[in-house]
Amino acid sequence: MNRRKLRDFLGTKLMLVVTVAVSLLFFSIFFLLLFKSLLIFEQHSLTEILFSSSWNPGFNQFGLYPIIVGTILVTGIALIIAVPISILSAVYIAEYAPKKVRKVIRPFIDVLAGVPSVVYGLCALLFLVPFVKDVVAPWFGIETTGYCILTASITLAIMVFPIIISLCVESFHAIPLSLREASLSVGATKWETVKKVIFRASAPSVISAVFLGFGRAFGETIAVNMVVGGITRTPSTLFSPGQTLASLIVSAYSDMMSSPLYESALMMVALILFIVVLLFNIFGIFVLRRANKRWNV
Amino acid sequence: MSTESRIQIETKNLNVSFHDHVVLQNIDIKIPAKKLTAIIGPSGCGKTTLLKSFNRLLEIQDDVKIAGQILVDGKNILRPHLDVPDIRKKMGLLSQKPYPLPMSIRDNVAYGLRIHSNKNKDEIEKTVEHCLQEVGLWNEVKGRLHDPASQLSVGQQQRLCLARAIAVEPEVVLCDEPTSALDPLAAQQIEKLLLKLKKDYTVVLVTHTLRQAKRVADYVIFLYFGMVIEQGPADIFFNNPKNPETKAYLSGEIS
């Protein structure tokens, strides 16, 4: 074998090995988490863990229900706020804004998407917490410290905006001009074109953008931890303090070495995070396929 | 041009530039109603730009400057504060490649109808069938009107786009090299349809194949480097061109 062919051979094999190693990470992490969680499953049933509402590791109580509720509320409300606003903003940037405005806005949004989450957390701590405490909660006649589910949701929504906007703008831009012309030339207005043609043609990409936004919101740890309140009680209102799965791990990891059972419990929380993200990815692929099948252009 | 023919579209000193690059210069043309007018010329000479200026589709692109007048039925459509969708509705567009909308075959044809008319379901259904019959697609698709339009062949898609265009009852059909992406058989079907359409519509056809222009055109406009070199009735244009550049183009010396 001459040297060129040898290099080609080695290069190919090296890339293969690296790729296999990276893929193996997936399985190693999964099995590590599973293995470490076994201890807690030996002593507590899955139903008890998922549906019991007392989390009190010192007293051998590992009910995740309040934290699961907190996670669903925080992530769900964040997306309810973020998705419509982001999509409307993306439509404006991609379809309506003059070229100059577009050129100025886009880099800002891309930078926002890359700002470390702790910065968002700090800003939320300084502005959002007092705002929710002094302005929003009094509207509803509720007293709160400001460290609550709603504050965490708004913080996450703000963090998710730039991701969804950026991806949606890109997907709107990828739609051929001629498809717009096809709609406009039968006398449709711009908004009719956006609503009936652009949204449909870009549905698969918009759906992936929302899923990515979900991933970011669901897994976000530090910014949530700074404002959510960190109380493991089932929240009674959106102004109650709460806890999320990811935030729980970061709050508790310094204590977790105190008992093997506590450590195992946190590993199990990590396993839940892992599995949910995995399921959502699979679900995402499934939804994308359906959307593509239905509306492929 | 025969005297009895009404002028549907007329431009006066039309100038168009993209990013300060001049694409069309001092265009003065007249397009007769209910005839087939071919706009010919080598690629890059501004044919498509001219065509899309007629229904104000140019302005959806960035950095376009349009000056001059475009008179449709004697009214300047470049005046400010006009209802642009209404202008566009009068002019159907058939593009180079078919672009079916991301919806079912039936919804593609019904798309414009639902926007403009308050016809009830049955009437829409009837119009859809009528338009699909007009373009010779009905028998091929009547059993699968609810399938996505993207499942049709390219030739069928192009006919579907034509059906979509005529469903809103335009006065003009603008065609931008509508056969260039099609196989010869499908291209022939479209050509036949265009000849049929000119009884009821003013057809403007951009084409870069001279033979096609010779086969179908009543009236010809020859563009070269963004300027009108010659225009006139097809028989005079092809048999007795006046301009030396037209002669050169017709004989294949410039392309």
Side-chain angles (χ1 to χ4, degrees):
Chain A
M1 218 185 314
N2 68 28
R3 285 182 63 157
R4 284 177 55 223
K5 279 191 179 151
L6 183 68
R7 271 190 208 158
D8 186 50
F9 174 80
L10 288 178
T12 315
K13 292 298 170 219
L14 179 69
M15 288 184 269
L16 176 69
V17 169
V18 176
T19 309
V20 168
V22 172
S23 324
L24 278 179
L25 268 180
F26 171 88
F27 295 101
S28 355
I29 293 177
F30 179 73
F31 284 111
L32 174 77
L33 294 176
L34 189 64
F35 177 71
K36 285 280 190 183
S37 326
L38 286 179
L39 185 62
I40 189 100
F41 286 123
E42 276 167 17
Q43 304 198 6
H44 300 270
S45 73
L46 186 65
T47 24
E48 186 196 334
I49 291 167
L50 292 181
F51 298 109
S52 146
S53 23
S54 38
W55 172 266
N56 220 332
F59 295 89
N60 195 19
Q61 291 175 321
F62 294 98
L64 282 180
Y65 182 75
I67 303 156
I68 292 173
V69 171
T71 310
I72 293 172
L73 282 177
V74 168
T75 315
I77 293 166
L79 287 182
I80 288 170
I81 300 171
V83 170
I85 295 180
S86 307
I87 291 180
L88 284 181
S89 158
V91 167
Y92 178 77
I93 295 172
E95 303 294 326
Y96 290 86
K99 195 180 162 196
K100 279 180 195 158
V101 178
R102 204 163 67 216
K103 274 193 159 169
V104 174
I105 292 181
R106 282 208 67 182
F108 278 111
I109 288 176
D110 290 342
V111 170
L112 277 182
V115 170
S117 48
V118 68
V119 177
Y120 285 100
L122 271 182
C123 296
L125 202 62
L126 280 177
F127 297 104
L128 212 51
V129 169
F131 180 73
V132 169
K133 177 178 175 243
D134 300 329
V135 181
V136 183
W139 281 348
F140 295 90
I142 293 175
E143 257 186 55
T144 172
T145 55
Y147 294 90
C148 61
I149 299 285
L150 184 69
T151 311
S153 304
I154 299 173
T155 311
L156 279 182
I158 294 170
M159 294 173 64
V160 167
F161 285 149
I163 300 174
I164 303 186
I165 293 175
S166 192
L167 289 170
C168 285
V169 168
E170 222 149 272
S171 70
F172 294 152
H173 272 299
I175 294 170
L177 186 70
S178 304
L179 194 61
R180 295 182 169 82
E181 290 179 345
S183 166
L184 293 172
S185 69
V186 298
T189 61
K190 206 161 183 174
W191 174 241
E192 283 159 345
T193 303
V194 166
K195 202 172 62 176
K196 294 180 181 158
V197 177
I198 308 284
F199 277 165
R200 284 191 188 193
S202 59
S205 336
V206 171
I207 291 168
S208 337
V210 171
F211 275 98
L212 267 168
F214 166 83
R216 173 102 204 238
F218 178 74
E220 176 49 42
T221 307
I222 196 69
V224 172
N225 189 259
M226 288 162 89
V227 297
V228 78
I231 306 262
T232 42
R233 226 182 301 128
T234 310
S236 51
T237 73
L238 294 183
F239 296 102
S240 315
Q243 183 64 293
T244 69
L245 292 166
S247 164
L248 172 74
I249 296 179
V250 79
S251 318
Y253 83 98
S254 52
D255 308 330
M256 78 179 193
M257 303 303 170
S258 57
S259 83
L261 203 57
Y262 196 0
E263 183 188 319
S264 176
L266 288 184
M267 285 298 185
M268 178 206 56
V269 173
L271 182 68
I272 293 176
L273 287 171
F274 190 95
I275 290 174
V276 170
V277 169
L278 179 69
L279 288 180
F280 247 81
N281 270 299
I282 294 170
F283 181 58
I285 293 169
F286 176 73
V287 170
L288 270 188
R289 260 199 214 144
R290 281 206 53 155
N292 263 326
K293 219 176 183 177
R294 192 155 159 213
W295 287 325
N296 64 330
V297 244
Chain B
M1 197 185 319
S2 50
T3 42
E4 78 266 74
S5 191
R6 181 167 67 85
I7 302 298
Q8 181 101 50
I9 303 174
E10 182 178 3
T11 68
K12 288 183 178 167
N13 202 17
L14 179 69
N15 284 274
V16 177
S17 59
F18 282 102
H19 311 277
D20 299 322
H21 167 74
V22 178
V23 182
L24 292 177
Q25 258 184 73
N26 307 328
I27 304 288
D28 287 299
I29 52 165
K30 287 178 181 168
I31 292 175
K34 308 222 166 151
K35 297 268 188 239
L36 198 153
T37 299
I39 302 177
I40 60 170
S43 36
C45 69
K47 303 185 294 282
T48 300
T49 305
L50 180 60
L51 190 78
K52 287 185 181 168
S53 67
F54 298 154
N55 64 350
R56 292 192 59 173
L57 266 183
L58 289 182
E59 60 207 62
I60 68 170
Q61 296 175 53
D62 290 322
D63 298 324
V64 185
K65 287 199 192 93
I66 307 166
Q69 289 189 334
I70 300 172
L71 307 174
V72 176
D73 297 323
K75 285 179 201 130
N76 182 12
I77 59 159
L78 293 182
R79 272 178 304 146
H81 315 300
L82 287 181
D83 181 5
V84 179
D86 211 46
I87 295 169
R88 291 186 183 136
K89 177 180 169 274
K90 283 189 192 156
M91 307 213 190
L93 177 74
L94 201 56
S95 56
Q96 259 176 45
K97 244 180 74 187
Y99 278 94
L101 301 172
M103 46 189 83
S104 71
I105 295 170
R106 191 196 58 177
D107 288 347
N108 258 275
V109 185
Y111 180 73
L113 286 173
R114 290 194 178 126
I115 290 174
H116 296 293
S117 68
N118 29 22
K119 286 185 175 169
N120 65 33
K121 250 188 159 181
D122 288 349
E123 289 169 325
I124 287 183
E125 252 8 79
K126 262 185 205 150
T127 316
V128 167
E129 181 181 338
H130 172 76
C131 294
L132 287 172
Q133 297 247 8
E134 281 291 292
V135 300
L137 203 55
W138 177 251
N139 287 327
E140 292 161 53
V141 301
K142 62 184 173 191
R144 47 178 182 142
L145 289 172
H146 295 280
D147 287 359
S150 51
Q151 285 178 4
L152 296 173
S153 75
V154 182
Q156 289 173 321
Q157 286 183 12
Q158 191 64 306
R159 280 182 284 150
L160 180 69
C161 290
L162 191 56
R164 179 180 67 204
I166 61 175
V168 294
E169 298 170 353
E171 292 169 21
V172 183
V173 179
L174 305 172
C175 309
D176 185 9
E177 300 186 18
T179 59
S180 60
L182 307 182
D183 62 86
L185 215 64
Q188 210 182 19
Q189 282 176 314
I190 293 286
E191 240 182 71
K192 273 189 192 158
L193 281 171
L194 294 181
L195 286 171
K196 190 176 106 183
L197 284 179
K198 73 176 188 183
K199 292 192 188 81
D200 303 307
Y201 307 88
T202 303
V203 181
V204 186
L205 172 71
V206 161
T207 176
H208 66 273
T209 51
L210 264 175
R211 270 171 303 156
Q212 188 174 50
K214 275 182 193 163
R215 278 195 301 267
V216 299
D218 303 308
Y219 194 77
V220 183
I221 296 165
F222 173 44
L223 280 185
Y224 193 53
F225 286 116
M227 284 179 284
V228 176
I229 304 297
E230 189 161 348
Q231 58 179 320
D235 48 341
I236 301 177
F237 182 91
F238 287 117
N239 299 321
N240 197 5
K242 294 177 189 65
N243 194 290
E245 271 158 329
T246 315
K247 283 177 195 161
Y249 183 70
L250 291 178
S251 64
E253 283 163 40
I254 52 175
S255 60

